[in-house]
């Protein structure tokens, strides 16, 4: 009766959506020639770590990443808004409306304290979590690194702007503190990605996988026939999206050109083998591909490029990933990572690949790696 029980059990599990009859297992493995290569035998992959965020260095709004802006308060409407310091245009000011800066250091302390007491976020206990070097609420009010370094642009009738009442200053402070709370919270995170990238042996990171995929999905086609004679593609298959397959075929057209400048080229698909972490909040990012470019000129220089194909309909959902790739590019553009006396690495982040903008991607890639 076991077979009957199993059959009935599978039927129930399928009805519940727990198992899928269309799911198949596909094997992903490294090509034997690559496993014999020195990049696999002794090469490294550089990645960073996710750690608890430390605020021990924070001694000001600026250290936390809070942008220094003036705050505009409209006396007539009783509402405020953020504006950059140099955004005020005289042509935009109506004839009978006046604007004037008022520094928070010039506002009476009792008005500021009353406004602070209205907002439960601004207690010393809460503020000291993200500003651990803050010694007191008095310092928070009087220091140029905190509130005293900010100002309000009052906008309204001449007399109200020139001689603002305590009520006007109080309401403007309340508005400013609401904005400040949002901006501080936006820059406070529990985790961070370490700025340092550390080496890990490639052969310990990129290992065989058994993937479970829907047999009817685009990912189930691994382009094995296309890839089997591509010595630069290290896995037997590419079980990726159509955008990822398009990227691989694009690169195939330029491999010979790349080899004019680099001794060897290897493309590794990252099938959840490794993660890097956003500097700001530690959010994990699994770039779809790592492109290795090897140059031997007495000492070996290896370029490790992170590449993420992304369809246009998906780009708007994860802008932080492209921003992170740009941060990587900026942070490491002039930095060599030395693994030993001979082997040196350079980390590079490349903007998203998109099939529709393929030529722009190719131009960006070639410019980044020094090919004109």
């Amino acid at each position: 009766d076991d077979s009957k029980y199993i059959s009935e059990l599978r039927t129930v599990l399928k009805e519940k959506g727990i198992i899928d009859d269309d799911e198949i297992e596909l094997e992903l493995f490294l090509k034997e020639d690559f496993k014999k290569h020195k990049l696999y035998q002794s090469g490294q992959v550089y990645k960073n770590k996710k750690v608890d965020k430390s605020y021990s260095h924070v001694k000001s709004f600026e250290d936390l990443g809070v942008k220094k802006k003036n705050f505009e308060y409209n006396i007539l409407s009783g509402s405020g808004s953020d504006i950059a310091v140099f955004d005020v245009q005289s042509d935009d000011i109506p004839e009978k409306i006046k604007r004037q800066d008022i520094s928070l250091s010039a506002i009476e302390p009792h008005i500021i304290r009353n406004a602070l007491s209205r907002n439960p976020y601004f207690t010393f206990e809460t503020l000291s979590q993200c500003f651990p070097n803050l010694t007191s609420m008095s310092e928070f009010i009087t220091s140029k690194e905190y509130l005293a370094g900010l100002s309000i642009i009052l906008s309204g009738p001449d007399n109200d702007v020139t001689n603002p009442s305590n009520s006007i200053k109080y309401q403007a402070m309340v508005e400013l503190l609401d904005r400040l709370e949002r901006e501080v919270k936006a820059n406070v995170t529990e985790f961070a990605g370490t700025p340092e990238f550390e080496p890990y042996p490639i052969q310990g990171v990129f290992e065989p996988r058994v993937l479970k995929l829907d047999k009817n999905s685009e990912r189930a086609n691994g382009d094995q026939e296309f890839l089997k004679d591509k010595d630069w593609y290290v896995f037997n298959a590419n079980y990726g999206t159509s955008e990822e397959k398009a990227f691989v075929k694009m690169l195939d057209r330029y491999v010979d050109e790349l080899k004019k400048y680099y001794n060897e080229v290897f493309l590794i698909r990252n099938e959840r083998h490794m993660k890097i972490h956003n500097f700001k909040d530690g959010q994990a990012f699994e770039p779809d591909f790592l492109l290795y470019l090897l140059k031997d000129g007495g000492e070996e220089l290896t370029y490790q490029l992170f590449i993420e194909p992304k369809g246009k309909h998906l780009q708007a959902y994860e802008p932080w990933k492209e921003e992170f790739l740009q941060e990587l590019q900026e942070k490491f553009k002039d930095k060599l990572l030395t693994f030993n006396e001979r082997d040196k690495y350079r980390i590079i982040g490349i903007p998203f690949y998109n099939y529709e903008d393929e030529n722009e991607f190719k131009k960006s890639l070639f410019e980044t790696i020094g090919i004109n």
Side-chain angles (χ1 to χ4, degrees):
D1 293 332
D2 286 348
S3 61
K4 182 181 178 181
Y5 169 75
I6 292 172
S7 176
E8 291 175 349
L9 180 61
R10 284 186 61 84
T11 299
V12 173
L13 292 176
K14 184 178 179 182
E15 290 174 352
K16 298 287 187 183
I18 297 174
I19 63 171
D20 186 352
D21 272 354
D22 289 335
E23 186 177 83
I24 56 175
E25 292 187 349
L26 297 168
E27 188 176 3
L28 184 71
F29 57 84
L30 293 160
K31 293 175 180 176
E32 289 301 317
D33 286 346
F34 178 68
K35 290 167 69 175
K36 297 174 184 176
H37 194 274
K38 61 183 179 182
L39 181 63
Y40 178 76
Q41 294 290 333
S42 60
Q44 307 295 311
V45 54
Y46 277 81
K47 55 182 181 175
N48 66 342
K49 297 178 181 178
K50 177 182 177 180
V51 296
D52 292 336
K53 184 72 173 280
S54 171
Y55 294 95
S56 59
H57 69 287
V58 176
K59 298 180 180 180
S60 66
F61 287 148
E62 189 173 3
D63 288 345
L64 191 66
V66 175
K67 297 177 181 178
K68 289 272 184 117
K69 292 181 178 179
N70 285 354
F71 174 81
E72 184 174 17
Y73 179 75
N74 190 319
I75 296 171
L76 290 175
S77 67
S79 63
S81 61
D82 296 324
I83 63 171
V85 174
F86 300 108
D87 275 356
V88 180
Q89 301 292 331
S90 59
D91 293 342
D92 298 332
I93 304 174
E95 186 177 349
K96 295 184 180 181
I97 296 297
K98 184 175 182 179
R99 279 183 177 156
Q100 180 171 297
D101 273 17
I102 176 172
S103 171
L104 265 63
S105 62
I107 295 178
E108 293 84 345
H110 73 274
I111 294 176
I112 296 177
R113 288 186 180 275
N114 285 338
L116 286 167
S117 67
R118 173 170 166 167
N119 189 321
Y121 182 78
F122 289 99
T123 64
F124 181 74
E125 182 180 4
T126 301
L127 291 172
S128 60
Q129 294 175 16
C130 48
F131 301 106
N133 296 289
L134 186 67
T135 59
S136 66
M137 289 303 293
S138 292
E139 181 189 3
F140 186 69
I141 295 170
T142 60
S143 172
K144 291 287 186 182
E145 302 299 331
Y146 300 104
L147 290 184
L150 304 180
S151 62
I152 297 171
I153 298 177
L154 292 178
S155 174
D158 192 335
N159 187 58
D160 287 338
V161 170
T162 305
N163 300 293
S165 66
N166 286 354
S167 176
I168 288 174
K169 288 184 280 189
Y170 171 76
Q171 290 298 331
M173 275 301 308
V174 169
E175 288 275 347
L176 180 145
L177 291 173
D178 285 345
R179 183 271 296 176
L180 187 60
E181 177 188 357
R182 292 193 298 271
E183 196 165 346
V184 169
K185 285 181 175 178
N187 285 276
V188 174
T189 61
E190 186 177 356
F191 302 104
T194 58
E196 298 81 19
F197 275 57
E198 299 176 356
Y200 296 81
I202 281 181
Q203 61 177 297
V205 174
F206 296 102
E207 299 177 326
R209 287 272 193 275
V210 175
L211 308 180
K212 294 182 179 181
L213 301 172
D214 185 333
K215 67 182 181 183
N216 301 310
S217 73
E218 63 180 356
R219 291 196 62 196
N221 171 19
D223 278 350
Q224 290 93 329
E225 283 300 311
F226 171 74
L227 294 170
K228 67 180 181 181
D229 63 345
K230 313 298 182 188
D231 58 356
W232 50 269
Y233 192 86
V234 308
F235 280 109
N236 66 304
N238 174 17
Y239 296 116
T241 64
S242 58
E243 205 75 29
E244 290 157 16
K245 292 182 174 72
F247 162 71
V248 173
K249 290 176 180 176
M250 182 219 75
L251 190 66
D252 179 53
R253 299 197 297 273
Y254 298 112
V255 164
D256 289 341
E257 191 169 351
L258 289 171
K259 287 184 176 179
K260 294 177 184 178
Y261 298 86
Y262 299 94
N263 301 87
E264 294 179 270
V265 176
F266 290 105
L267 183 66
I268 304 179
R269 172 162 169 76
N270 179 29
E271 192 65 70
R272 310 203 75 172
H273 293 93
M274 59 87 70
K275 302 175 183 177
I276 51 180
H277 297 275
N278 194 13
F279 296 132
K280 180 178 178 181
D281 57 13
Q283 191 168 354
F285 175 24
E286 299 173 351
D288 290 322
F289 294 98
L290 280 79
L291 177 63
Y292 280 84
L293 305 173
L294 283 67
K295 182 180 288 188
D296 188 352
E299 59 181 23
E300 294 186 0
L301 175 60
T302 300
Y303 287 78
Q304 175 184 309
L305 290 85
F306 296 110
I307 298 175
E308 177 83 355
K310 188 77 69 176
K312 277 192 176 295
H313 64 292
L314 296 174
Q315 289 183 4
Y317 292 99
E318 296 180 306
W320 70 269
K321 288 186 176 180
E322 189 158 33
E323 290 170 6
F324 183 34
L325 291 172
Q326 291 170 347
E327 281 188 77
L328 283 175
Q329 172 63 13
E330 184 63 29
K331 181 176 178 59
F332 290 99
K333 66 179 181 180
D334 299 318
K335 188 174 183 179
L336 284 180
L337 303 177
T338 303
F339 177 65
N340 54 38
E341 291 183 0
R342 178 175 171 80
D343 297 328
K344 301 183 185 302
Y345 286 77
R346 177 163 285 163
I347 294 174
I348 298 174
I350 302 293
F352 284 166
Y353 164 85
N354 178 264
Y355 176 72
E356 295 180 30
D357 300 323
E358 198 169 83
N359 289 334
E360 291 181 22
F361 175 85
K362 182 242 181 179
K363 180 182 178 182
S364 175
L365 171 64
F366 276 37
E367 286 178 352
T368 300
I369 59 179
I371 298 178
N372 298 321

